[in-house]
Amino acid sequence: MAEDILKKGAILQRDKTSFAIAPHIPGGIITDFNQLRRLADVAEKYGVKAIKLTSAQRMALVGLQEADLDQVWQELGMPPGAAIGLCVRSVKICPGTTFCRIALQDAVKVGLALDSKYHGFELPYKFKMGVSGCPNSCAESTIKDVGLVGFKNGWRVYAGGFVSGIKPRLADVIADALDDQQALQLVDRVIEWYAQAGKKKRLGKIIDEVGLDRFKQDLGLS
């Protein structure tokens, strides 16, 4: 039963009887406003207690009954967000040059490309990404397993950040001044390296074990 619930993208709540679901909204960007109406209509129809805005740029519907889950997903017409499991759980994206007047790089384009390729991608442990169009780092890129930050001369790429647990870790800079394609290709190499490492721990902890220089060398960066 528990496995079946997880496949439905449902998370048991504190009351031990109701569930929350978080439909996937890439980059937190909605351009079809009927989607918002469907979320509100479904929430009202099935007695949702609240719609919670999450740190992964999703809207979680909290307080659903197990018997309603299948019908709720059908009426929403949206895929579940990868809120749980050993996978790429989220790609957090700032407004970038699409929306923000001070952005230096197109965070939306690059972030959506990563989301399309990697959201839900299975890995040895949970994994998060952030793409920020300028050094203000509104997508919190320096505390993600992989983070991109835009500068005038291109993307700076970070690896190994996380804030879970009692000993958070800032990500290490692994490359600088990359164009869009170079940055995306480097992320591919990081993901491949991490998958091959096969250790059930955060990327940053593995980097600490092998050393940053060795990590960069394995990626072909030094």
Side-chain angles (χ1 to χ4, degrees):
M1 179 64 69
E3 182 178 353
D4 183 58
I5 290 297
L6 292 178
K7 289 180 179 178
K8 294 179 181 180
I11 303 172
L12 185 65
Q13 298 300 284
R14 187 178 180 86
D15 60 13
K16 306 298 184 182
T17 61
S18 66
F19 296 83
I21 63 170
H24 185 45
I25 304 174
I29 300 169
I30 295 177
T31 55
D32 176 6
F33 303 128
N34 287 321
Q35 197 171 69
L36 289 171
R37 296 185 180 94
R38 284 196 300 274
L39 283 164
D41 290 345
V42 166
E44 288 186 342
K45 180 177 179 179
Y46 293 96
V48 165
K49 296 178 181 178
I51 295 180
K52 172 73 168 63
L53 300 180
T54 76
S55 61
Q57 300 179 323
R58 301 178 182 129
M59 295 184 183
L61 278 64
V62 182
L64 289 163
Q65 298 305 304
E66 182 179 346
D68 295 328
L69 292 173
D70 289 335
Q71 190 62 31
V72 165
W73 280 120
Q74 182 177 341
E75 292 183 23
L76 285 175
M78 301 168 69
I84 49 180
L86 305 181
C87 63
V88 177
R89 294 193 180 183
S90 62
V91 181
K92 193 168 186 177
I93 305 170
C94 87
T97 53
T98 306
F99 303 107
C100 180
R101 64 180 178 82
I102 64 173
L104 300 173
Q105 298 293 332
D106 193 344
V108 172
K109 180 181 74 173
V110 172
L112 290 180
L114 289 172
D115 184 277
S116 176
K117 186 170 185 178
Y118 286 119
H119 173 254
F121 188 84
E122 292 186 3
L123 287 170
Y125 204 69
K126 62 182 178 181
F127 199 96
K128 298 181 180 181
M129 301 186 190
V131 184
S132 302
C134 83
N136 283 342
S137 195
C138 292
E140 302 170 330
S141 300
T142 57
I143 56 171
K144 305 299 186 188
D145 295 281
V146 166
L148 276 61
V149 175
F151 289 79
K152 287 183 178 180
N153 63 346
W155 293 103
R156 180 174 294 173
V157 180
Y158 296 80
F162 59 85
V163 291
S164 58
I166 60 175
K167 292 184 178 180
R169 184 186 193 279
L170 286 176
D172 299 301
V173 177
I174 61 171
D176 209 353
L178 303 185
D179 62 26
D180 292 354
Q181 192 61 33
Q182 290 171 328
L184 290 170
Q185 289 173 349
L186 180 52
V187 173
D188 290 341
R189 299 206 299 273
V190 172
I191 293 289
E192 182 179 0
W193 186 93
Y194 183 57
Q196 290 178 352
K199 297 183 178 181
K200 292 187 176 182
K201 57 182 68 177
R202 298 302 287 260
L203 173 61
K205 293 185 177 181
I206 303 176
I207 293 174
D208 288 339
E209 289 177 357
V210 303
L212 180 59
D213 289 341
R214 170 64 185 278
F215 174 65
K216 292 173 66 175
Q217 182 180 3
D218 287 350
L219 296 176
L221 297 173
S222 61

